[in-house]
Amino acid sequence: MGDSSQPSDWPLLSLLSLASAGKGAPASPLAIGRRGLAPPPGSERGGGKMAVVAPLLALLWGLPGLCRWLAQPYYPLSALLAAAFLLVRKVPPLCRGLPSQREDGNPCDFDWREVEILMFLSAIVMMKNRRSITVEQHIGNIFMFSKVANAILFFRLDIRMGLLYLTLCIVFLMTCKPPLYMGPEYIKYFSDKTIDEELERDKRVTWIVEFFANWSSECQSFAPIFADLSLKYNCSGLQFGKVDVGRYTDVSTRYKVSTSPLTKQLPTLILFQGGTEIMRRPQIDKKGRAVSWTFSEENVIREFNLNELYQKAKKQSKPREEGPEEPPAVPAAAPQETKKDK
């Protein structure tokens, strides 16, 4: 009856059992729990304070990044378009004249079909976000599928409202581009004329080159990850590069990287050693389709053996940095006296 102990007592019980065991008197947590040890006074109150303080600290920590997002028009406008139907349906001045299929005829609330569409949207976003790595990918998926659901809901409500919303989305896509990564990096950017020259210049240098396009959301999400890898692993024998295949289409043809709007090959990472391609991710199967691959920092380090490549590159770069050893100076021979001097 009195044998059970509160879950919050277990860390204290474990410490007491270890302390007693160190003194030569072994005791188990269950045995200590039977003695009815009470938690220290004020511990529950302190735990409640931490439950409030921790989210506030997390919010303060992420506040600079949130302010940078809000300062760029792409994210506030995307959020406004993603929540457009919610605002139109729920805000009283806007929802008064809207048609409704509810039995009570309330135009300022969702009907059963709208709730069904929103629930389906939530399920799709949760499934897509399982493979998301960065916060930008999560937010991008929410924005994209919310706009699709908004278009369906507006067309169902009134075809004129659907056309108006679709026009606003097209204008937004054409005029407002997602912000590019502008953080620190050790990456060399190639053009269609410099990529081959740079890869062939020094056969001892290993290159990891990203083939990207600015319009690809996957490339934009991978940009900070690739920049962080370049900061950690860049050296004279292992270098990182990027080439915009959306701009230089002949490079995409030469290195067989598809740039179609529905492609799964952006971004593409290729490892070059001695100017020759060794491996790439994602891989291409026999039918020419890209094999699904997650562009996370852990996957890149593991698949490309970056730790091993970095150590080898550092060992090879040491003799080049030190330079060729100079031969030891031969001391000048002392002048010998000739018979005439004597």
Side-chain angles (χ1 to χ4, degrees):
M1 294 176 59
D3 292 345
S4 62
S5 60
Q6 298 179 357
S8 59
D9 297 340
W10 281 102
L12 178 62
L13 299 179
S14 301
L15 291 175
L16 289 174
S17 64
L18 290 174
S20 60
K23 294 180 180 179
S28 65
L30 290 175
I32 297 175
R34 294 190 181 98
R35 299 172 191 171
L37 292 177
S43 62
E44 295 181 358
R45 185 168 61 253
K49 290 181 179 179
M50 287 301 298
V52 177
V53 172
L56 292 177
L57 292 177
L59 178 62
L60 292 175
W61 179 263
L63 192 59
L66 181 61
C67 292
R68 286 195 298 269
W69 279 6
L70 294 177
Q72 299 167 348
Y74 176 81
Y75 292 107
L77 291 178
S78 290
L80 183 62
L81 287 173
F85 187 82
L86 177 65
L87 296 175
V88 170
R89 177 59 88 181
K90 284 295 186 179
V91 177
L94 300 175
C95 65
R96 293 301 182 189
L98 296 179
S100 176
Q101 296 183 5
R102 292 176 57 88
E103 294 180 357
D104 56 2
N106 183 12
C108 295
D109 203 356
F110 299 117
D111 58 41
W112 67 272
R113 180 65 69 182
E114 293 170 350
V115 173
E116 188 177 28
I117 294 174
L118 293 174
M119 293 295 292
F120 184 67
L121 165 69
S122 303
I124 293 178
V125 170
M126 291 177 62
M127 292 176 60
K128 293 294 291 185
N129 278 344
R130 290 175 58 186
R131 297 186 57 187
S132 300
I133 305 299
T134 62
V135 178
E136 288 80 4
Q137 287 178 329
H138 285 278
I139 296 177
N141 288 333
I142 294 173
F143 285 163
M144 180 178 66
F145 289 104
S146 296
K147 292 171 186 175
V148 173
N150 273 268
I152 296 173
L153 291 170
F154 275 121
F155 271 108
R156 179 179 174 272
L157 194 65
D158 191 336
I159 189 171
R160 293 170 296 180
M161 298 182 68
L163 291 174
L164 177 61
Y165 181 79
L166 191 62
T167 303
L168 291 175
C169 289
I170 294 174
V171 172
F172 171 77
L173 290 175
M174 294 178 63
T175 59
C176 193
K177 301 297 182 182
L180 301 178
Y181 176 77
M182 301 299 292
E185 59 185 19
Y186 287 142
I187 298 175
K188 185 165 186 177
Y189 286 79
F190 300 129
S191 67
D192 54 345
K193 298 179 180 179
T194 61
I195 180 171
D196 294 332
E197 297 176 0
E198 198 65 38
L199 294 176
E200 297 288 341
R201 177 177 298 177
D202 191 347
K203 296 295 184 67
R204 295 171 297 181
V205 176
T206 299
W207 284 92
I208 298 179
V209 181
E210 178 193 355
F211 296 78
F212 74 101
N214 284 327
W215 51 262
S216 171
S217 59
E218 301 292 336
C219 296
Q220 294 164 7
S221 301
F222 182 63
I225 299 176
F226 194 62
D228 188 50
L229 290 171
S230 70
L231 295 174
K232 292 179 180 178
Y233 292 97
N234 184 79
C235 62
S236 59
L238 176 61
Q239 298 187 20
F240 293 76
K242 295 180 74 170
V243 58
D244 187 355
V245 291
R247 180 180 179 184
Y248 305 110
T249 55
D250 55 336
V251 177
S252 65
T253 304
R254 196 184 317 157
Y255 290 93
K256 299 179 181 178
V257 178
S258 175
T259 57
S260 66
L262 301 178
T263 184
K264 299 295 183 181
Q265 298 185 34
L266 291 176
T268 290
L269 282 183
I270 300 183
L271 175 68
F272 294 94
Q273 288 182 336
T276 305
E277 177 182 337
I278 302 300
M279 62 175 295
R280 71 166 61 195
R281 292 293 183 273
Q283 293 177 314
I284 308 300
D285 59 14
K286 296 180 179 179
K287 296 181 179 180
R289 295 176 299 186
V291 180
S292 179
W293 195 70
T294 303
F295 281 89
S296 65
E297 184 172 344
E298 295 78 11
N299 284 351
V300 175
I301 294 174
R302 182 180 63 253
E303 292 289 329
F304 287 85
N305 296 321
L306 286 187
N307 292 318
E308 183 179 350
L309 289 176
Y310 180 75
Q311 295 299 329
K312 289 182 178 179
K314 292 291 286 185
K315 290 180 181 179
Q316 293 176 359
S317 62
K318 281 182 180 180
R320 283 186 284 170
E321 293 174 356
E322 295 173 358
E325 297 183 358
E326 296 182 358
V330 179
Q336 298 181 357
E337 293 182 338
T338 61
K339 292 183 178 180
K340 184 177 179 181
D341 294 333
K342 288 182 178 180

